[in-house]
Amino acid sequence: MKHQLLDSEISNPLKKGNTSLVKKNNKVESFLADVGNATKFTFSVIKNIFGKDFEFNQFLKQCFAIGNQSLALISITGIIIGLVLTIQSRPVLVSFGAVSMLPGMVAISIIREMGPVITALICAGKIGSSMGAEIGSMRVTEQIDAMEVSSTNPIKYLIVPRVLAAIFMLPILTLYADALGIIGSWVGANIKGDVSFVLFISQAFNSVEFLDLFPAVIKTFFFGAVIGLVGCYKGFNAGRGTESVGIAANSAVVMASLLVIIVDLIAVQITDLL
């Protein structure tokens, strides 16, 4: 009996260690498989973008849906960004006697970083979840399977218009948010001061150069591509149960937001080299 107890005590830790090792290996295999499937899905989307019979009507429909879904939230957020940046920065600049630098500082902050990133994060939550839920529900209700059976390419009809709409609409929404942010900054400057709108705008854009605007706009195209691809991929590969629609929408938001931050980090490093 003593020998059996000792053997069981020795074998149990080994079994626990083997079980944890198997779980870690399964997680690594699942992650690598997911990366491979996502890469394959991305190349399939790129291939169909340059294929024949582009669904232009679906593209316009998705552009309208993305703009309509996000416009109100981005409007409010853009004004608040400019307002808060101005209210927080003004006392510091007053102490240094540099209030005249306020419009330029806020404009550069919004155009370079705050506008693109916050707009992309809002769109990741609004658009990414919408795409994940919509396409996921099509997968659950077997609409995508029916399209494949009827020789209709779901990538070309469902995915490509949504991804392209996200790519083209995000720069427009970002420029709109930038403009509202600068207007909000003017409102914030007039809370404890008196600055004319024309003077404020001229001071703001005198400090902005082409290299401030161009990289900021270029990276929004990549933000849109990330949001569209992640949202569509999560929905397209949703499970068969009804709760998988919610899982697809939630994971699309989390992954798209994380990738937006990573892409922004890479873009900042590249811009710093210019």
Side-chain angles (χ1 to χ4, degrees):
M1 288 294 292
K2 290 182 179 180
H3 290 294
Q4 291 176 354
L5 289 172
L6 289 173
D7 291 338
S8 64
E9 289 175 357
I10 294 171
S11 62
N12 283 335
L14 293 175
K15 289 180 180 178
K16 290 179 181 178
N18 290 332
T19 303
S20 62
L21 184 62
V22 168
K23 288 181 178 178
K24 289 180 180 178
N25 289 334
N26 289 336
K27 288 181 179 179
V28 172
E29 290 176 2
S30 176
F31 173 75
L32 293 177
D34 200 31
V35 171
N37 291 331
T39 305
K40 181 181 177 181
F41 179 82
T42 302
F43 280 112
S44 178
V45 172
I46 294 172
K47 178 183 176 182
N48 282 278
I49 286 175
F50 298 101
K52 297 180 181 179
D53 302 326
F54 177 67
E55 297 289 340
F56 189 71
N57 290 332
Q58 282 292 321
F59 169 71
L60 291 179
K61 180 182 177 182
Q62 294 303 320
C63 286
F64 175 77
I66 289 172
N68 189 40
Q69 285 179 2
S70 309
L71 195 62
L73 188 58
I74 287 175
S75 300
I76 296 170
T77 306
I79 292 173
I80 291 175
I81 288 172
L83 192 64
V84 170
L85 278 176
T86 303
I87 293 173
Q88 292 290 332
S89 303
R90 193 177 185 279
V92 179
L93 294 176
V94 167
S95 64
F96 286 99
V99 183
S100 61
M101 298 177 63
L102 180 63
M105 187 201 70
V106 173
I108 291 174
S109 300
I110 291 174
I111 290 172
R112 276 189 177 182
E113 195 66 23
M114 299 294 290
V117 173
I118 292 181
T119 302
L121 292 176
I122 290 172
C123 290
K126 195 74 175 175
I127 299 168
S129 62
S130 176
M131 289 181 180
E134 187 177 3
I135 297 176
S137 63
M138 290 181 182
R139 173 64 75 183
V140 170
T141 56
E142 299 181 351
Q143 296 180 45
I144 295 177
D145 296 335
M147 292 177 68
E148 292 173 345
V149 169
S150 61
S151 299
T152 302
N153 188 351
I155 299 290
K156 181 176 290 185
Y157 186 78
L158 296 176
I159 309 302
V160 170
R162 286 171 169 81
V163 173
L164 287 179
I167 291 173
F168 282 100
M169 286 303 295
L170 202 69
I172 297 173
L173 292 172
T174 300
L175 292 174
Y176 175 72
D178 292 346
L180 288 180
I182 294 172
I183 294 172
S185 177
W186 171 71
V187 174
N190 277 277
I191 291 176
K192 292 185 177 181
D194 187 13
V195 183
S196 68
F197 182 74
V198 176
L199 177 61
F200 187 90
I201 295 298
S202 63
Q203 288 180 344
F205 284 100
N206 282 337
S207 303
V208 177
E209 298 179 355
F210 179 75
L211 287 178
D212 296 322
L213 181 62
F214 183 71
V217 173
I218 291 299
K219 70 181 178 182
T220 57
F221 286 100
F222 292 96
F223 291 164
V226 164
I227 293 168
L229 286 170
V230 171
C232 292
Y233 171 74
K234 292 296 183 180
F236 196 79
N237 292 278
R240 295 294 179 180
T242 54
E243 65 180 15
S244 62
V245 176
I247 295 172
N250 183 50
S251 59
V253 174
V254 174
M255 185 57 66
S257 300
L258 178 62
L259 289 177
V260 162
I261 300 298
I262 294 173
V263 170
D264 181 61
L265 175 63
I266 296 171
V268 168
Q269 296 296 324
I270 294 173
T271 305
D272 190 53
L273 297 175
L274 298 177

